[in-house]
Amino acid sequence: MSLELTRNFSIIAHIDHGKTTLSDRLLEFTQTISEREKQDQLLDAMDLERERGITIKSHPVSMYYPAKDGKTYQLNLLDTPGHVDFSYEVSRSLAACEGALLIVDAAQGVEAQTLANLHLANEQELTIIPVINKIDLPSADLPKVHKQLEDIVCIPAEEAIPASAKNGIGIEDILEAIVERIPAPVQPEDNKLRASVFDSVYDNFRGVVSYVRVISGSMRRGTKIKFFHTPNNYEIKEVGVFTPAMTKRDELVAGDVGYVIANMKSASDVKIGDTMTESSNPCSDPLPGFKEIQPMVFAGIYPVDTSDFEALKAAVAKLQINDAAFSFMAESSAALGFGFRCGFLGLLHMEIIQERLRREFNMDIISTYPSVIYEVSLTNGEEIIVDNPCMLPDSQAIQEIREPMVRVYIMTPGDYIGDLMKLVMDKRGEMENTETIDDLRVMLTCNLPLSEILVDFNDRLKSMTRGYGSMDYEHNGYRAAKMVKMDMLIAGEPVDAFATIVHRDKAESYGRKLATRLKEVIPQQLFVVAIQAAIGGKIIARESISAMRKNVTAKCYGGDISRKRKLLEKQKKGKAKMKAIGKVNIPQDAFIRVLKND
Ligand code: GDP
């Protein structure tokens, strides 16, 4: 298919606005799939994705459309993940397109997520085709959505295509608009192989499958290839396209979107955003836009039962083979034993990995409090990066600590603005902008530290707005902040599992909270046990547990000696599961209870 007859596009939508339904309609209209073949939610595959209603992996598909101008076009739809944790993947998929459909629900209007993704599309200078979906709904309000498009998104209302994915209205108009408005891809003149890798998946049987868009040149089975950001050469075993099932082809040429299977063993052999070229006749420069994927959130993952360490090691190694964005390094903690320091793209990515460890590998794990990455300038001029509170040098050695910031978009009914502003302040954030969307809703833009939205921000937003608020965020650089390392001491000994990096102004209240919680879970000992929160050498919060001999047999009056013995045995066993911190014995599950409580 010639380049003039090729269109590459993507779909941007807020969750539930109808992306999946519309994609299915486009596939049906172009007879890429028949009604019979169609399964519900064709493009969303993984169970976890379906449960959470998000797409994590993009699944491209090629369709052929005989347009009204009499020519048949190849339309390549590159689906994008729907969550900010995966915004780099989104940006790479968008970079492989010339245009995007922007779907807006006719009743709901523009939402927070729509805007964050639209910004990514604008960065790539894509042609945007607005589609107002669900016009069949009685609550559809076209004039309102038109106004929102003009006011918020700056798109002329007459460009919008009214549609109902459910009833098949507007589908042909959308296909015509893709052909007419989105430009054909342009090919560089030298005809050397250049293919941009916008995603990759790992298949247990075939190894790494790279999803590519061919910008120039061609490739087939036997072509020797290499990349710009990984060192090895590979030989192609198979190429093909998505129809939407993977379908083998003899070759992929400029303009094609398809897959490449070569002799690659691990997801880390190919980096998303890298350029694939021919080993013997390479192009001189990579395509623009490559970024090394940086984990943003770190946490320790430990087996609850220390004897499961080897099994956990095998499990995390296996997960990394098919998820290059997940990283791990062995670490040990005096409190939790041997485990791994793991890096994730964000909280959702972290939850997915933990969930997979539990479900697919049957691992019983405990994870430490998540931490972000800090940039630290030392007084000796060195610059370091700290992802584990235990690794933060002494405060005398530190000149400045910078923390990662995010720009958060919050869409909310106007009634809750006051509460939300308070929440943002409470989380050390500032408001940047407040914009009225319509007579009911307001869009707040604010700047917040990433660490403050990690744990409960979204939950609090949802409960504050009775479920009507929605949010999305994008990374927004680093900013200097008064961060300090806070240690928790039990009977004078620092316990590494509870060390955290906190803002100086919040240290006291957090220290008190943690001390109180520890007091609740640590059993009484033969002596008084002090629980202290400290910054440097200075104690900022303190609790103590009074001394007592725990007599487990006290409740067994007289006789029943066998029951008494059983209880004593049980107490002995309990002891075996204790961790000795200095001279204090702490039951293993006390750590789990404190860490899980947040
Ligand atoms: P996604 O999350 O953006 O992929 O949205 P889905 O395609 O899964 O659609 C979300 C819900 O909206 C589903 O229950 C669809 O049946 C429904 N839906 C999608 N398009 C339309 C439409 O044009 N009209 C109506 N009434 N419902 C629609």
Side-chain angles (χ1 to χ4, degrees), residues 1-3 186-195 214-220 223 251-256 275-285 287:
M1 181 90 32
S2 80
L3 278 182
V186 203
Q187 178 172 345
E189 277 167 10
D190 64 11
N191 213 25
K192 290 180 176 174
L193 176 62
R194 285 179 188 82
V214 187
I215 305 292
S216 61
S218 63
M219 58 180 142
R220 60 196 60 73
T223 305
E251 65 171 5
L252 289 181
V253 300
D256 282 338
T275 304
M276 186 184 277
T277 188
E278 200 170 345
S279 304
S280 56
N281 183 21
C283 57
S284 53
D285 298 304
L287 299 160

PDB file of all heavy atoms in Angstrom, residues 1-3 186-195 214-220 223 251-256 275-285 287:
ATOM      1  N   MET A   1       0.858  -1.193   0.000  1.00  0.00           N
ATOM      2  CA  MET A   1       0.000   0.000   0.000  1.00  0.00           C
ATOM      3  C   MET A   1       0.891   1.238   0.000  1.00  0.00           C
ATOM      4  O   MET A   1       1.838   1.316   0.782  1.00  0.00           O
ATOM      5  CB  MET A   1      -0.863  -0.040   1.256  1.00  0.00           C
ATOM      6  CG  MET A   1      -1.806   1.101   1.395  1.00  0.00           C
ATOM      7  SD  MET A   1      -3.474   0.983   0.716  1.00  0.00           S
ATOM      8  CE  MET A   1      -4.021  -0.688   0.803  1.00  0.00           C
ATOM      9  N   SER A   2       0.603   2.182  -0.892  1.00  0.00           N
ATOM     10  CA  SER A   2       1.480   3.353  -0.955  1.00  0.00           C
ATOM     11  C   SER A   2       1.228   4.261   0.248  1.00  0.00           C
ATOM     12  O   SER A   2       0.177   4.215   0.877  1.00  0.00           O
ATOM     13  CB  SER A   2       1.246   4.119  -2.258  1.00  0.00           C
ATOM     14  OG  SER A   2       0.083   4.905  -2.109  1.00  0.00           O
ATOM     15  N   LEU A   3       2.241   5.086   0.495  1.00  0.00           N
ATOM     16  CA  LEU A   3       2.152   5.959   1.669  1.00  0.00           C
ATOM     17  C   LEU A   3       0.975   6.929   1.601  1.00  0.00           C
ATOM     18  O   LEU A   3       0.356   7.229   2.607  1.00  0.00           O
ATOM     19  CB  LEU A   3       3.439   6.771   1.812  1.00  0.00           C
ATOM     20  CG  LEU A   3       4.605   6.061   2.498  1.00  0.00           C
ATOM     21  CD1 LEU A   3       5.778   7.005   2.619  1.00  0.00           C
ATOM     22  CD2 LEU A   3       4.190   5.558   3.873  1.00  0.00           C
ATOM     23  N   VAL A 186       5.039  10.878   5.928  1.00  0.00           N
ATOM     24  CA  VAL A 186       6.069  11.340   4.993  1.00  0.00           C
ATOM     25  C   VAL A 186       7.303  10.466   5.176  1.00  0.00           C
ATOM     26  O   VAL A 186       7.676  10.140   6.306  1.00  0.00           O
ATOM     27  CB  VAL A 186       6.491  12.801   5.307  1.00  0.00           C
ATOM     28  CG1 VAL A 186       7.087  13.442   4.082  1.00  0.00           C
ATOM     29  CG2 VAL A 186       5.313  13.600   5.831  1.00  0.00           C
ATOM     30  N   GLN A 187       7.923  10.109   4.068  1.00  0.00           N
ATOM     31  CA  GLN A 187       9.080   9.214   4.167  1.00  0.00           C
ATOM     32  C   GLN A 187      10.373   9.979   3.918  1.00  0.00           C
ATOM     33  O   GLN A 187      10.460  10.773   2.984  1.00  0.00           O
ATOM     34  CB  GLN A 187       8.936   8.107   3.122  1.00  0.00           C
ATOM     35  CG  GLN A 187      10.118   7.162   3.130  1.00  0.00           C
ATOM     36  CD  GLN A 187       9.894   5.967   2.228  1.00  0.00           C
ATOM     37  OE1 GLN A 187       8.810   5.694   1.808  1.00  0.00           O
ATOM     38  NE2 GLN A 187      10.941   5.260   1.937  1.00  0.00           N
ATOM     39  N   PRO A 188      11.429   9.726   4.732  1.00  0.00           N
ATOM     40  CA  PRO A 188      12.729  10.346   4.469  1.00  0.00           C
ATOM     41  C   PRO A 188      13.260   9.847   3.113  1.00  0.00           C
ATOM     42  O   PRO A 188      12.862   8.784   2.655  1.00  0.00           O
ATOM     43  CB  PRO A 188      13.617   9.839   5.609  1.00  0.00           C
ATOM     44  CG  PRO A 188      12.707   9.215   6.594  1.00  0.00           C
ATOM     45  CD  PRO A 188      11.451   8.840   5.895  1.00  0.00           C
ATOM     46  N   GLU A 189      14.185  10.607   2.495  1.00  0.00           N
ATOM     47  CA  GLU A 189      14.547  10.279   1.118  1.00  0.00           C
ATOM     48  C   GLU A 189      15.488   9.100   0.929  1.00  0.00           C
ATOM     49  O   GLU A 189      15.486   8.457  -0.110  1.00  0.00           O
ATOM     50  CB  GLU A 189      15.134  11.522   0.446  1.00  0.00           C
ATOM     51  CG  GLU A 189      14.002  12.402  -0.055  1.00  0.00           C
ATOM     52  CD  GLU A 189      14.431  13.772  -0.452  1.00  0.00           C
ATOM     53  OE1 GLU A 189      15.650  14.015  -0.520  1.00  0.00           O
ATOM     54  OE2 GLU A 189      13.544  14.601  -0.687  1.00  0.00           O
ATOM     55  N   ASP A 190      16.316   8.803   1.954  1.00  0.00           N
ATOM     56  CA  ASP A 190      17.385   7.813   1.702  1.00  0.00           C
ATOM     57  C   ASP A 190      16.920   6.351   1.637  1.00  0.00           C
ATOM     58  O   ASP A 190      17.669   5.482   1.257  1.00  0.00           O
ATOM     59  CB  ASP A 190      18.494   7.964   2.740  1.00  0.00           C
ATOM     60  CG  ASP A 190      18.001   7.647   4.150  1.00  0.00           C
ATOM     61  OD1 ASP A 190      16.884   7.123   4.280  1.00  0.00           O
ATOM     62  OD2 ASP A 190      18.720   7.937   5.114  1.00  0.00           O
ATOM     63  N   ASN A 191      15.682   6.058   2.025  1.00  0.00           N
ATOM     64  CA  ASN A 191      15.141   4.704   1.918  1.00  0.00           C
ATOM     65  C   ASN A 191      15.817   3.656   2.804  1.00  0.00           C
ATOM     66  O   ASN A 191      15.696   2.459   2.573  1.00  0.00           O
ATOM     67  CB  ASN A 191      15.166   4.248   0.447  1.00  0.00           C
ATOM     68  CG  ASN A 191      13.987   3.335   0.181  1.00  0.00           C
ATOM     69  OD1 ASN A 191      12.971   3.423   0.875  1.00  0.00           O
ATOM     70  ND2 ASN A 191      14.116   2.455  -0.787  1.00  0.00           N
ATOM     71  N   LYS A 192      16.574   4.089   3.811  1.00  0.00           N
ATOM     72  CA  LYS A 192      17.152   3.116   4.751  1.00  0.00           C
ATOM     73  C   LYS A 192      16.091   2.704   5.765  1.00  0.00           C
ATOM     74  O   LYS A 192      15.157   3.451   6.029  1.00  0.00           O
ATOM     75  CB  LYS A 192      18.332   3.747   5.475  1.00  0.00           C
ATOM     76  CG  LYS A 192      19.510   3.954   4.551  1.00  0.00           C
ATOM     77  CD  LYS A 192      20.654   4.582   5.292  1.00  0.00           C
ATOM     78  CE  LYS A 192      21.838   4.675   4.336  1.00  0.00           C
ATOM     79  NZ  LYS A 192      22.957   5.386   4.916  1.00  0.00           N
ATOM     80  N   LEU A 193      16.290   1.522   6.370  1.00  0.00           N
ATOM     81  CA  LEU A 193      15.293   1.041   7.325  1.00  0.00           C
ATOM     82  C   LEU A 193      15.278   1.895   8.598  1.00  0.00           C
ATOM     83  O   LEU A 193      16.307   2.087   9.251  1.00  0.00           O
ATOM     84  CB  LEU A 193      15.565  -0.424   7.707  1.00  0.00           C
ATOM     85  CG  LEU A 193      14.628  -0.988   8.789  1.00  0.00           C
ATOM     86  CD1 LEU A 193      13.183  -0.983   8.324  1.00  0.00           C
ATOM     87  CD2 LEU A 193      15.048  -2.399   9.196  1.00  0.00           C
ATOM     88  N   ARG A 194      14.107   2.423   8.892  1.00  0.00           N
ATOM     89  CA  ARG A 194      13.857   3.117  10.164  1.00  0.00           C
ATOM     90  C   ARG A 194      12.485   2.664  10.633  1.00  0.00           C
ATOM     91  O   ARG A 194      11.502   2.867   9.921  1.00  0.00           O
ATOM     92  CB  ARG A 194      13.746   4.630   9.968  1.00  0.00           C
ATOM     93  CG  ARG A 194      15.009   5.373   9.719  1.00  0.00           C
ATOM     94  CD  ARG A 194      14.681   6.843   9.518  1.00  0.00           C
ATOM     95  NE  ARG A 194      15.855   7.588   9.097  1.00  0.00           N
ATOM     96  CZ  ARG A 194      16.289   7.646   7.852  1.00  0.00           C
ATOM     97  NH1 ARG A 194      15.643   7.019   6.882  1.00  0.00           N
ATOM     98  NH2 ARG A 194      17.371   8.353   7.555  1.00  0.00           N
ATOM     99  N   ALA A 195      12.427   2.035  11.806  1.00  0.00           N
ATOM    100  CA  ALA A 195      11.124   1.660  12.350  1.00  0.00           C
ATOM    101  C   ALA A 195      11.093   2.083  13.802  1.00  0.00           C
ATOM    102  O   ALA A 195      12.041   1.845  14.543  1.00  0.00           O
ATOM    103  CB  ALA A 195      10.914   0.158  12.234  1.00  0.00           C
ATOM    104  N   VAL A 214       6.855   1.376  10.568  1.00  0.00           N
ATOM    105  CA  VAL A 214       7.976   1.516   9.644  1.00  0.00           C
ATOM    106  C   VAL A 214       7.908   2.907   9.017  1.00  0.00           C
ATOM    107  O   VAL A 214       6.910   3.278   8.411  1.00  0.00           O
ATOM    108  CB  VAL A 214       7.931   0.431   8.538  1.00  0.00           C
ATOM    109  CG1 VAL A 214       9.207   0.505   7.700  1.00  0.00           C
ATOM    110  CG2 VAL A 214       7.772  -0.943   9.157  1.00  0.00           C
ATOM    111  N   ILE A 215       8.965   3.672   9.215  1.00  0.00           N
ATOM    112  CA  ILE A 215       9.003   5.043   8.702  1.00  0.00           C
ATOM    113  C   ILE A 215       9.602   5.047   7.295  1.00  0.00           C
ATOM    114  O   ILE A 215       9.139   5.749   6.406  1.00  0.00           O
ATOM    115  CB  ILE A 215       9.866   5.943   9.624  1.00  0.00           C
ATOM    116  CG1 ILE A 215       9.357   5.887  11.061  1.00  0.00           C
ATOM    117  CG2 ILE A 215       9.910   7.377   9.099  1.00  0.00           C
ATOM    118  CD1 ILE A 215       8.005   6.502  11.299  1.00  0.00           C
ATOM    119  N   SER A 216      10.654   4.236   7.092  1.00  0.00           N
ATOM    120  CA  SER A 216      11.259   4.155   5.753  1.00  0.00           C
ATOM    121  C   SER A 216      11.922   2.793   5.610  1.00  0.00           C
ATOM    122  O   SER A 216      12.164   2.103   6.594  1.00  0.00           O
ATOM    123  CB  SER A 216      12.290   5.275   5.564  1.00  0.00           C
ATOM    124  OG  SER A 216      13.323   5.135   6.523  1.00  0.00           O
ATOM    125  N   GLY A 217      12.223   2.418   4.352  1.00  0.00           N
ATOM    126  CA  GLY A 217      12.864   1.136   4.080  1.00  0.00           C
ATOM    127  C   GLY A 217      11.895  -0.021   4.253  1.00  0.00           C
ATOM    128  O   GLY A 217      10.672   0.174   4.281  1.00  0.00           O
ATOM    129  N   SER A 218      12.441  -1.234   4.387  1.00  0.00           N
ATOM    130  CA  SER A 218      11.591  -2.414   4.542  1.00  0.00           C
ATOM    131  C   SER A 218      12.348  -3.493   5.313  1.00  0.00           C
ATOM    132  O   SER A 218      13.559  -3.402   5.485  1.00  0.00           O
ATOM    133  CB  SER A 218      11.186  -2.958   3.168  1.00  0.00           C
ATOM    134  OG  SER A 218      12.351  -3.376   2.489  1.00  0.00           O
ATOM    135  N   MET A 219      11.630  -4.491   5.773  1.00  0.00           N
ATOM    136  CA  MET A 219      12.284  -5.611   6.471  1.00  0.00           C
ATOM    137  C   MET A 219      11.470  -6.878   6.292  1.00  0.00           C
ATOM    138  O   MET A 219      10.264  -6.843   6.061  1.00  0.00           O
ATOM    139  CB  MET A 219      12.468  -5.283   7.940  1.00  0.00           C
ATOM    140  CG  MET A 219      11.196  -4.955   8.681  1.00  0.00           C
ATOM    141  SD  MET A 219      11.621  -4.587  10.388  1.00  0.00           S
ATOM    142  CE  MET A 219      10.515  -3.266  10.723  1.00  0.00           C
ATOM    143  N   ARG A 220      12.189  -8.011   6.394  1.00  0.00           N
ATOM    144  CA  ARG A 220      11.540  -9.313   6.219  1.00  0.00           C
ATOM    145  C   ARG A 220      12.291 -10.339   7.050  1.00  0.00           C
ATOM    146  O   ARG A 220      13.288 -10.012   7.683  1.00  0.00           O
ATOM    147  CB  ARG A 220      11.532  -9.709   4.731  1.00  0.00           C
ATOM    148  CG  ARG A 220      12.921  -9.824   4.104  1.00  0.00           C
ATOM    149  CD  ARG A 220      12.869  -9.824   2.607  1.00  0.00           C
ATOM    150  NE  ARG A 220      12.266  -8.605   2.085  1.00  0.00           N
ATOM    151  CZ  ARG A 220      12.874  -7.410   2.079  1.00  0.00           C
ATOM    152  NH1 ARG A 220      14.090  -7.277   2.587  1.00  0.00           N
ATOM    153  NH2 ARG A 220      12.286  -6.351   1.593  1.00  0.00           N
ATOM    154  N   THR A 223      16.279 -10.438   7.816  1.00  0.00           N
ATOM    155  CA  THR A 223      16.941  -9.126   7.904  1.00  0.00           C
ATOM    156  C   THR A 223      17.657  -9.017   9.253  1.00  0.00           C
ATOM    157  O   THR A 223      17.095  -9.356  10.286  1.00  0.00           O
ATOM    158  CB  THR A 223      15.899  -7.975   7.799  1.00  0.00           C
ATOM    159  OG1 THR A 223      15.141  -8.144   6.607  1.00  0.00           O
ATOM    160  CG2 THR A 223      16.569  -6.615   7.795  1.00  0.00           C
ATOM    161  N   GLU A 251       6.767  -9.131   4.159  1.00  0.00           N
ATOM    162  CA  GLU A 251       7.611  -7.996   4.542  1.00  0.00           C
ATOM    163  C   GLU A 251       6.776  -6.841   5.090  1.00  0.00           C
ATOM    164  O   GLU A 251       5.559  -6.778   4.894  1.00  0.00           O
ATOM    165  CB  GLU A 251       8.466  -7.521   3.364  1.00  0.00           C
ATOM    166  CG  GLU A 251       7.675  -6.962   2.205  1.00  0.00           C
ATOM    167  CD  GLU A 251       8.561  -6.298   1.148  1.00  0.00           C
ATOM    168  OE1 GLU A 251       9.799  -6.341   1.260  1.00  0.00           O
ATOM    169  OE2 GLU A 251       7.995  -5.712   0.212  1.00  0.00           O
ATOM    170  N   LEU A 252       7.459  -5.959   5.811  1.00  0.00           N
ATOM    171  CA  LEU A 252       6.843  -4.717   6.268  1.00  0.00           C
ATOM    172  C   LEU A 252       7.567  -3.590   5.537  1.00  0.00           C
ATOM    173  O   LEU A 252       8.795  -3.602   5.452  1.00  0.00           O
ATOM    174  CB  LEU A 252       7.021  -4.524   7.782  1.00  0.00           C
ATOM    175  CG  LEU A 252       6.222  -5.424   8.732  1.00  0.00           C
ATOM    176  CD1 LEU A 252       6.528  -5.047  10.182  1.00  0.00           C
ATOM    177  CD2 LEU A 252       4.723  -5.323   8.462  1.00  0.00           C
ATOM    178  N   VAL A 253       6.785  -2.637   5.021  1.00  0.00           N
ATOM    179  CA  VAL A 253       7.408  -1.532   4.288  1.00  0.00           C
ATOM    180  C   VAL A 253       6.970  -0.198   4.896  1.00  0.00           C
ATOM    181  O   VAL A 253       6.108  -0.165   5.773  1.00  0.00           O
ATOM    182  CB  VAL A 253       7.017  -1.557   2.789  1.00  0.00           C
ATOM    183  CG1 VAL A 253       7.467  -2.856   2.140  1.00  0.00           C
ATOM    184  CG2 VAL A 253       5.505  -1.376   2.631  1.00  0.00           C
ATOM    185  N   ALA A 254       7.588   0.879   4.410  1.00  0.00           N
ATOM    186  CA  ALA A 254       7.294   2.222   4.916  1.00  0.00           C
ATOM    187  C   ALA A 254       5.786   2.448   4.985  1.00  0.00           C
ATOM    188  O   ALA A 254       5.060   2.131   4.051  1.00  0.00           O
ATOM    189  CB  ALA A 254       7.942   3.263   4.023  1.00  0.00           C
ATOM    190  N   GLY A 255       5.320   2.980   6.121  1.00  0.00           N
ATOM    191  CA  GLY A 255       3.888   3.243   6.296  1.00  0.00           C
ATOM    192  C   GLY A 255       3.192   2.140   7.074  1.00  0.00           C
ATOM    193  O   GLY A 255       2.152   2.371   7.682  1.00  0.00           O
ATOM    194  N   ASP A 256       3.773   0.935   7.070  1.00  0.00           N
ATOM    195  CA  ASP A 256       3.121  -0.177   7.775  1.00  0.00           C
ATOM    196  C   ASP A 256       3.245  -0.050   9.286  1.00  0.00           C
ATOM    197  O   ASP A 256       4.244   0.451   9.812  1.00  0.00           O
ATOM    198  CB  ASP A 256       3.757  -1.520   7.378  1.00  0.00           C
ATOM    199  CG  ASP A 256       3.261  -2.001   6.017  1.00  0.00           C
ATOM    200  OD1 ASP A 256       2.181  -1.549   5.600  1.00  0.00           O
ATOM    201  OD2 ASP A 256       3.960  -2.822   5.394  1.00  0.00           O
ATOM    202  N   THR A 275      14.754   3.188  17.861  1.00  0.00           N
ATOM    203  CA  THR A 275      14.630   3.055  16.412  1.00  0.00           C
ATOM    204  C   THR A 275      15.295   1.758  15.962  1.00  0.00           C
ATOM    205  O   THR A 275      16.447   1.498  16.313  1.00  0.00           O
ATOM    206  CB  THR A 275      15.322   4.244  15.715  1.00  0.00           C
ATOM    207  OG1 THR A 275      14.746   5.441  16.217  1.00  0.00           O
ATOM    208  CG2 THR A 275      15.160   4.174  14.208  1.00  0.00           C
ATOM    209  N   MET A 276      14.563   0.954  15.192  1.00  0.00           N
ATOM    210  CA  MET A 276      15.104  -0.292  14.650  1.00  0.00           C
ATOM    211  C   MET A 276      15.654   0.021  13.275  1.00  0.00           C
ATOM    212  O   MET A 276      14.999   0.707  12.479  1.00  0.00           O
ATOM    213  CB  MET A 276      13.941  -1.284  14.551  1.00  0.00           C
ATOM    214  CG  MET A 276      14.295  -2.684  14.147  1.00  0.00           C
ATOM    215  SD  MET A 276      12.745  -3.655  13.962  1.00  0.00           S
ATOM    216  CE  MET A 276      12.393  -4.148  15.627  1.00  0.00           C
ATOM    217  N   THR A 277      16.880  -0.437  12.960  1.00  0.00           N
ATOM    218  CA  THR A 277      17.428  -0.194  11.631  1.00  0.00           C
ATOM    219  C   THR A 277      18.187  -1.432  11.179  1.00  0.00           C
ATOM    220  O   THR A 277      18.320  -2.401  11.929  1.00  0.00           O
ATOM    221  CB  THR A 277      18.316   1.071  11.617  1.00  0.00           C
ATOM    222  OG1 THR A 277      18.673   1.380  10.266  1.00  0.00           O
ATOM    223  CG2 THR A 277      19.570   0.899  12.449  1.00  0.00           C
ATOM    224  N   GLU A 278      18.706  -1.418   9.933  1.00  0.00           N
ATOM    225  CA  GLU A 278      19.370  -2.598   9.404  1.00  0.00           C
ATOM    226  C   GLU A 278      20.845  -2.579   9.823  1.00  0.00           C
ATOM    227  O   GLU A 278      21.516  -1.559   9.672  1.00  0.00           O
ATOM    228  CB  GLU A 278      19.238  -2.600   7.870  1.00  0.00           C
ATOM    229  CG  GLU A 278      19.444  -3.962   7.285  1.00  0.00           C
ATOM    230  CD  GLU A 278      19.077  -3.987   5.803  1.00  0.00           C
ATOM    231  OE1 GLU A 278      18.411  -3.051   5.322  1.00  0.00           O
ATOM    232  OE2 GLU A 278      19.467  -4.964   5.143  1.00  0.00           O
ATOM    233  N   SER A 279      21.357  -3.708  10.328  1.00  0.00           N
ATOM    234  CA  SER A 279      22.733  -3.742  10.824  1.00  0.00           C
ATOM    235  C   SER A 279      23.732  -3.350   9.735  1.00  0.00           C
ATOM    236  O   SER A 279      24.670  -2.602   9.985  1.00  0.00           O
ATOM    237  CB  SER A 279      23.089  -5.147  11.317  1.00  0.00           C
ATOM    238  OG  SER A 279      22.184  -5.560  12.289  1.00  0.00           O
ATOM    239  N   SER A 280      23.535  -3.863   8.514  1.00  0.00           N
ATOM    240  CA  SER A 280      24.546  -3.669   7.473  1.00  0.00           C
ATOM    241  C   SER A 280      24.415  -2.306   6.785  1.00  0.00           C
ATOM    242  O   SER A 280      25.359  -1.835   6.167  1.00  0.00           O
ATOM    243  CB  SER A 280      24.424  -4.777   6.434  1.00  0.00           C
ATOM    244  OG  SER A 280      23.103  -4.770   5.926  1.00  0.00           O
ATOM    245  N   ASN A 281      23.244  -1.677   6.876  1.00  0.00           N
ATOM    246  CA  ASN A 281      23.042  -0.411   6.169  1.00  0.00           C
ATOM    247  C   ASN A 281      22.198   0.517   7.044  1.00  0.00           C
ATOM    248  O   ASN A 281      21.074   0.872   6.706  1.00  0.00           O
ATOM    249  CB  ASN A 281      22.337  -0.716   4.840  1.00  0.00           C
ATOM    250  CG  ASN A 281      22.154   0.534   3.994  1.00  0.00           C
ATOM    251  OD1 ASN A 281      22.861   1.533   4.170  1.00  0.00           O
ATOM    252  ND2 ASN A 281      21.179   0.497   3.085  1.00  0.00           N
ATOM    253  N   PRO A 282      22.760   0.899   8.210  1.00  0.00           N
ATOM    254  CA  PRO A 282      21.932   1.619   9.193  1.00  0.00           C
ATOM    255  C   PRO A 282      21.662   3.067   8.798  1.00  0.00           C
ATOM    256  O   PRO A 282      22.451   3.666   8.073  1.00  0.00           O
ATOM    257  CB  PRO A 282      22.799   1.579  10.457  1.00  0.00           C
ATOM    258  CG  PRO A 282      24.189   1.450   9.957  1.00  0.00           C
ATOM    259  CD  PRO A 282      24.140   0.704   8.667  1.00  0.00           C
ATOM    260  N   CYS A 283      20.531   3.606   9.291  1.00  0.00           N
ATOM    261  CA  CYS A 283      20.306   5.039   9.142  1.00  0.00           C
ATOM    262  C   CYS A 283      21.238   5.747  10.113  1.00  0.00           C
ATOM    263  O   CYS A 283      21.702   5.148  11.092  1.00  0.00           O
ATOM    264  CB  CYS A 283      18.840   5.384   9.412  1.00  0.00           C
ATOM    265  SG  CYS A 283      18.233   4.876  11.022  1.00  0.00           S
ATOM    266  N   SER A 284      21.526   7.031   9.830  1.00  0.00           N
ATOM    267  CA  SER A 284      22.566   7.692  10.623  1.00  0.00           C
ATOM    268  C   SER A 284      22.086   8.093  12.011  1.00  0.00           C
ATOM    269  O   SER A 284      22.827   7.995  12.982  1.00  0.00           O
ATOM    270  CB  SER A 284      23.092   8.906   9.866  1.00  0.00           C
ATOM    271  OG  SER A 284      21.995   9.714   9.505  1.00  0.00           O
ATOM    272  N   ASP A 285      20.835   8.529  12.133  1.00  0.00           N
ATOM    273  CA  ASP A 285      20.359   9.015  13.427  1.00  0.00           C
ATOM    274  C   ASP A 285      19.077   8.303  13.832  1.00  0.00           C
ATOM    275  O   ASP A 285      18.280   7.932  12.984  1.00  0.00           O
ATOM    276  CB  ASP A 285      20.036  10.516  13.341  1.00  0.00           C
ATOM    277  CG  ASP A 285      21.270  11.308  13.007  1.00  0.00           C
ATOM    278  OD1 ASP A 285      22.250  11.185  13.756  1.00  0.00           O
ATOM    279  OD2 ASP A 285      21.253  12.013  11.969  1.00  0.00           O
ATOM    280  N   LEU A 287      15.240   8.120  15.342  1.00  0.00           N
ATOM    281  CA  LEU A 287      14.076   9.006  15.287  1.00  0.00           C
ATOM    282  C   LEU A 287      13.996   9.750  16.618  1.00  0.00           C
ATOM    283  O   LEU A 287      14.452   9.246  17.643  1.00  0.00           O
ATOM    284  CB  LEU A 287      12.813   8.171  15.063  1.00  0.00           C
ATOM    285  CG  LEU A 287      12.826   7.378  13.747  1.00  0.00           C
ATOM    286  CD1 LEU A 287      11.829   6.220  13.791  1.00  0.00           C
ATOM    287  CD2 LEU A 287      12.529   8.306  12.583  1.00  0.00           C
TER     288      LEU A 287
END
